[in-house]
Amino acid sequence: MTEQPIRVLIVDDQPMLRLGFRLVLDAEDGITVVGEAGDGAAGIALAKALHPDVVLMDVRMPGMDGIAATARLAQDAPTCRVIILTTFDIDEYAFAALRAGASGFLVKDAQAAELVDAVRAVARGDAVVAPRVTRRMLELFARQLPDADGAEAATSDPRLGLLTPREADIFGALGLGLSNAEIAARFVLSEATVKTHVAHVLRKLGLRDRVQAVVLAYETGVVGR
């Protein structure tokens, strides 16, 4: 049976950038661009109608920006994974979008191969920014990051009560950005066991990937600010 192509939606207010991304992605086997939008609100509407696997989302757009749009998609279209497009590799708005539910970010001048690799990685459930980088940027920007709704982030989360003591340990290690090998060494476990624990933690907490685990651990105080 032929594997279904990865369906991509591009949301950016620059038509030429959308065209460039479309040309790169449509030239790849196993990837198809199903739509384009010029602002966050239109992107949300198209995502609900087209059910893309991956949304390439500009973080700064007139009207509804990428942070608010990402938060809405995380709530209303949870099967869509969002890659934030940003002009700068250190951008407080990009990290606010990670907090809102994005699975990673990509600078707009990334090479074509980087774009393709990012789309494929996010589609299979991986992140496109290292958890350690996420944690470091949260430390840098925590006090100035805009939330999707302008509210303060929660300091507790009832989902944490779903974790067993061992899973809570694993979650804390994820919050530090540790790899499976590092977690295995810390708790004297096999990497296969750690992988199983990580999968259980992400499922119980309703998180897309390890980057989201870092964000939640930071926001709930599981790892220190």
Side-chain angles (χ1 to χ4, degrees), residues 3 54-55 60 66 71 76 81 86 91-92 94 104 109 121 125 157 159 167 169 184 189 194 200 207:
E3 187 173 335
V54 178
V55 179
R60 302 174 190 243
D76 298 343
R81 296 179 181 273
T86 178
D91 184 343
E92 65 270 29
D109 62 355
D157 192 304
R159 291 175 295 174
E167 288 167 350
D169 290 339
L189 299 170
V194 171
H200 289 168
L207 303 174

Side-chain angles (χ1 to χ4, degrees), residues 28-210:
E28 290 292 319
D29 291 335
I31 299 177
T32 183
V33 176
V34 296
E36 300 178 19
D39 61 67
I44 290 169
L46 276 181
K48 291 180 178 179
L50 300 174
H51 307 290
D53 302 300
V54 178
V55 179
L56 295 175
M57 178 81 72
D58 186 13
V59 72
R60 302 174 190 243
M61 294 179 287
M64 180 181 286
D65 65 19
I67 302 170
T70 296
R72 282 281 302 277
L73 286 178
Q75 178 178 350
D76 298 343
T79 59
C80 295
R81 296 179 181 273
V82 176
I83 300 173
I84 287 295
L85 302 173
T86 178
T87 304
F88 311 105
D89 58 358
I90 299 180
D91 184 343
E92 65 270 29
Y93 285 86
F95 286 95
L98 291 180
R99 290 172 69 186
S103 292
F105 71 88
L106 194 68
V107 291
K108 291 185 177 183
D109 62 355
Q111 298 296 312
E114 293 177 283
L115 172 64
V116 172
D117 288 346
V119 167
R120 294 192 190 280
V122 167
R124 65 175 177 260
D126 294 335
V128 294
V129 56
R132 289 184 189 278
V133 174
T134 303
R135 174 158 166 68
R136 178 57 182 153
M137 292 300 102
L138 285 169
E139 290 170 352
L140 289 175
F141 295 126
R143 289 171 176 78
Q144 64 199 65
L145 284 177
D147 288 317
D149 58 3
E152 290 295 319
T155 57
S156 63
D157 192 304
R159 291 175 295 174
L160 300 184
L162 300 174
L163 302 180
T164 66
R166 174 57 79 194
E167 288 167 350
D169 290 339
I170 298 295
F171 177 55
L174 289 174
L176 295 173
L178 301 186
S179 67
N180 284 356
E182 290 169 330
I183 296 172
R186 171 172 290 203
F187 297 114
V188 195
L189 299 170
S190 71
E191 287 193 46
T193 298
V194 171
K195 185 176 180 180
T196 298
H197 281 312
V198 168
H200 289 168
V201 168
L202 296 180
R203 177 179 54 79
K204 285 184 176 183
L205 298 180
L207 303 174
R208 290 176 175 83
D209 50 49
R210 300 169 81 101

